């Protein structure tokens, strides 16, 4: 049975829809205000259109340094199992692919539709093509009460949930960063923001041109000789820089270092499965191959042709050179380069290509239900907060977690 509490949810993305459902299940009268003409646009494109709902291997260590301390409690209250129970309650069937949880349909649209249908069942109202611009607390009431001003209307609310996202994906989800200004006007603090889960830019004429190359590798990110992050997976190298899951995982941290004028270098190891001893044996076998060979012949079976060309360009050697003229010491040096190909990072791709935003409203300004400490009755959730996780379902887990906790608390009498 509905109670008298009016809850406004600003933003109809993953966290906003989840919050709307949680609040409506508590009996509140819920209205979602969405700036575009439909809900779940960004969600419908996640996971290459498949939607990686969550990840079985979920830990506070999978999130940014500023969030780790609080994530243990958040995930304890609403972790992976509660997320899966929630979607099962919507009638969504899921599948576990080596820990990555997807809808069994293989379609992100199934996730969006299941959320929207539940909102419909719970009689959640939707106002499209309106953008929340201001939240005005009304001190006349004993309980929290607010006037919510949009680009088109004004609304009365007992509780307001801000789920307007960060700065990532401005074209797909009309991200403008307005949520930061609204929160700051209510006394909350904003941490510096950076694009995250995106590609890195390099200016290096030796990099493979055209379509580039994809290979499995370990990438270590360094400032000087100090490694601050290391990731394994498929790496893509093109004439403009590097991308792929290992690159995306570290991109937010790289952006942060670059903003402080710290020079970042990526070291790529195409033979991570070999330790020093095993690699030395491999090199010895390569050098002991019978017949008179040229440098290009030797490298032909050693690694990808585009990588071979890059290494030789950097060492100013020709593939037509005979090994006997190159010499054993220099040939060994060439082969060793494949375990430490260094690329200076000049920048990070902008928010148009970023999947999430690093930074945002400080977690120190919210309680364990994502409610503002300075202005009780206002909740901040999802990407708007200073929380970003690894690629692979971690950021969506945060959306479900923060959304449901806030919605549940906002909807209670």
């Amino acid at each position: 049975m509905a109670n008298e509490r009016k809850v406004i949810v600003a933003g109809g993305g993953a966290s906003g829809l989840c919050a709307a459902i949680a609040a409506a299940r508590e009996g509140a009268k819920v209205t979602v205000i969405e700036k575009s003409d439909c809900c779940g646009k960004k969600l419908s494109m996640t996971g290459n259109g498949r939607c990686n709902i969550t990840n079985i291997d979920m830990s506070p260590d999978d999130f940014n340094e500023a969030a780790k301390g609080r994530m243990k409690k958040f995930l304890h209250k609403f972790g992976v199992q509660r997320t899966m129970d929630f979607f099962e309650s919507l009638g969504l069937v899921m599948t576990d692919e080596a820990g990555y949880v997807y809808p069994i349909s293989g379609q992100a649209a199934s996730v969006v539709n299941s959320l929207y249908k539940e909102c419909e069942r719970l009689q959640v109202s939707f106002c499209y093509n309106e953008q929340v611009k201001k939240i005005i607390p009304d001190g006349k009431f004993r309980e929290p009460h607010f006037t919510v001003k949009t680009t088109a209307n004004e609304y009365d609310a007992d509780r307001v949930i801000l789920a307007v996202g960060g700065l990532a994906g401005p074209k797909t989800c009309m991200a403008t960063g307005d949520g930061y200004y609204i929160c700051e006007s209510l006394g909350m603090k904003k941490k510096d923001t950076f694009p995250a889960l995106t590609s890195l830019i390099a200016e290096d004429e030796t990099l493979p041109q055209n379509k580039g190359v994809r290979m499995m590798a370990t990438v270590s990110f360094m400032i000087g000789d100090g490694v601050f992050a290391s990731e394994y997976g498929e790496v893509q190298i093109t004439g403009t820089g590097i991308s792929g899951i290992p690159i995306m995982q570290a991109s937010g941290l790289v952006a942060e270092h670059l903003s402080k004028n710290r020079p970042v270098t990526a070291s790529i190891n195409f033979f991570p499965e070999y330790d020093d001893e095993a690699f030395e044996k491999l090199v010895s076998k390569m050098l002991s191959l019978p017949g008179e060979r040229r440098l290009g012949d030797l490298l032909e079976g050693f690694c990808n042709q585009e990588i071979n060309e890059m290494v030789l360009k950097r060492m100013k050697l020709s593939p037509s050179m005979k090994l006997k003229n190159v010499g054993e010491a220099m040939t060994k040096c060439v082969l060793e380069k494949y375990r430490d190909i260094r690329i200076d990072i000049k920048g990070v791709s902008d928010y148009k290509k970023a999947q999430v935003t690093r930074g945002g409203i400080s977690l120190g300004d919210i309680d364990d239900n994502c409610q503002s400490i300075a202005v009780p009755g206002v909740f901040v959730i999802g990407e708007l907060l200073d929380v970003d996780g690894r690629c692979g379902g971690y950021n969506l887990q945060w959306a479900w977690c923060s959304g449901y906790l806030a919605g549940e608390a906002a909807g209670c009498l």
Side-chain angles (χ1 to χ4, degrees):
M1 185 174 179
N3 60 45
E4 296 300 318
R5 179 168 290 183
K6 295 178 182 178
V7 177
I8 295 286
V9 179
S15 62
L17 290 175
C18 189
I21 290 169
R25 284 180 174 180
E26 293 297 323
K29 182 179 180 182
V30 181
T31 300
V32 175
I33 301 174
E34 167 57 39
K35 68 173 70 173
S36 68
D37 57 2
C38 67
C39 290
K41 277 190 176 181
K42 189 175 180 181
L43 180 59
S44 69
M45 293 181 286
T46 59
N48 292 320
R50 295 183 64 209
C51 189
N52 188 178
I53 295 169
T54 187
N55 198 299
I56 300 299
D57 184 20
M58 187 69 56
S59 162
D61 291 335
D62 295 312
F63 295 85
N64 58 306
E65 197 63 38
K68 288 179 183 178
R70 295 289 296 279
M71 288 307 296
K72 184 176 182 180
K73 182 170 283 188
F74 284 128
L75 291 173
H76 177 73
K77 294 181 72 173
F78 198 97
V80 175
Q81 189 57 56
R82 278 201 72 183
T83 293
M84 296 181 72
D85 291 344
F86 169 68
F87 279 103
E88 284 178 2
S89 77
L90 306 183
L92 187 77
V93 181
M94 293 160 285
T95 182
D96 175 355
E97 299 180 11
Y100 297 83
V101 178
Y102 293 93
I104 202 165
S105 68
Q107 296 177 303
S110 299
V111 180
V112 177
N113 290 338
S114 68
L115 291 165
Y116 188 73
K117 292 296 182 183
E118 180 69 356
C119 284
E120 278 191 328
R121 187 185 72 80
L122 294 166
Q123 299 183 330
V124 172
S125 299
F126 288 86
C127 299
Y128 295 109
N129 299 307
E130 288 188 46
Q131 183 175 354
V132 172
K133 302 298 288 184
K134 196 171 185 179
I135 298 171
I136 304 171
D138 192 338
K140 295 178 183 178
F141 296 85
R142 185 175 298 177
E143 284 286 313
H145 191 82
F146 306 91
T147 298
V148 178
K149 290 190 174 185
T150 75
T151 48
N153 293 293
E154 289 188 5
Y155 299 86
D156 288 328
D158 300 304
R159 301 290 185 270
V160 182
I161 302 174
L162 282 167
V164 295
L167 289 163
K171 188 174 181 180
T172 56
C173 59
M174 300 174 67
T176 58
D178 281 3
Y180 301 132
Y181 308 122
I182 294 171
C183 289
E184 286 179 309
S185 73
L186 295 172
M188 290 175 259
K189 295 177 182 177
K190 171 182 166 288
K191 301 282 190 70
D192 290 341
T193 55
F194 309 94
L197 294 188
T198 189
S199 55
L200 301 178
I201 300 167
E203 298 171 0
D204 188 331
E205 61 182 16
T206 69
L207 297 181
Q209 302 300 308
N210 301 320
K211 293 183 179 179
V213 61
R214 295 174 183 265
M215 282 192 66
M216 301 300 289
T218 292
V219 187
S220 298
F221 296 91
M222 305 182 297
I223 297 174
D225 291 326
V227 175
F228 64 83
S230 187
E231 299 284 349
Y232 173 78
E234 186 182 68
V235 177
Q236 182 178 11
I237 309 176
T238 68
T240 58
I242 53 178
S243 60
I245 298 298
I247 310 305
M248 293 167 65
Q249 303 286 32
S251 59
L253 191 52
V254 170
E256 200 168 334
H257 283 303
L258 291 175
S259 73
K260 297 173 182 176
N261 295 316
R262 296 169 182 162
V264 176
T265 300
S267 170
I268 304 177
N269 178 4
F270 289 109
F271 291 85
E273 66 273 27
Y274 289 81
D275 60 18
D276 290 345
E277 184 179 348
F279 192 77
E280 189 175 333
K281 288 180 180 178
L282 175 64
V283 169
S284 296
K285 285 182 180 179
M286 294 296 293
L287 294 176
S288 65
L289 292 172
E292 189 171 296
R293 293 170 180 266
R294 297 179 186 276
L295 189 52
D297 298 333
L298 179 73
L299 299 180
E300 183 83 32
F302 189 68
C303 197
N304 181 282
Q305 184 63 34
E306 301 246 27
I307 302 300
N308 295 341
E309 290 176 9
M310 180 173 68
V311 170
L312 293 180
K313 275 184 188 177
R314 290 177 166 216
M315 300 191 73
K316 294 181 170 53
L317 296 172
S318 169
S320 63
M321 295 176 69
K322 293 181 179 180
L323 287 181
K324 65 180 182 181
N325 294 332
V326 175
E328 185 176 312
M330 178 56 76
T331 304
K332 282 184 176 181
C333 185
V334 171
L335 298 179
E336 280 287 349
K337 285 292 180 184
Y338 288 79
R339 295 208 297 163
D340 186 17
I341 291 179
R342 299 199 176 192
I343 299 173
D344 293 332
I345 306 303
K346 297 300 181 183
V348 176
S349 294
D350 61 20
Y351 288 108
K352 292 178 183 178
K353 295 183 179 180
Q355 292 186 20
V356 297
T357 306
R358 185 179 183 87
I361 301 304
S362 172
L363 287 179
D365 287 330
I366 63 166
D367 66 15
D368 292 338
N369 291 317
C370 298
Q371 181 173 211
S372 168
I373 295 170
V375 186
V378 173
F379 296 77
V380 185
I381 62 175
E383 193 179 333
L384 191 54
L385 287 163
D386 182 19
V387 178
D388 66 283
R390 295 172 62 80
C391 186
Y394 300 94
N395 291 288
L396 275 181
Q397 174 60 40
W398 170 240
W400 316 131
C401 171
S402 59
Y404 206 92
L405 292 177
E408 194 173 48
C412 286
L413 279 173

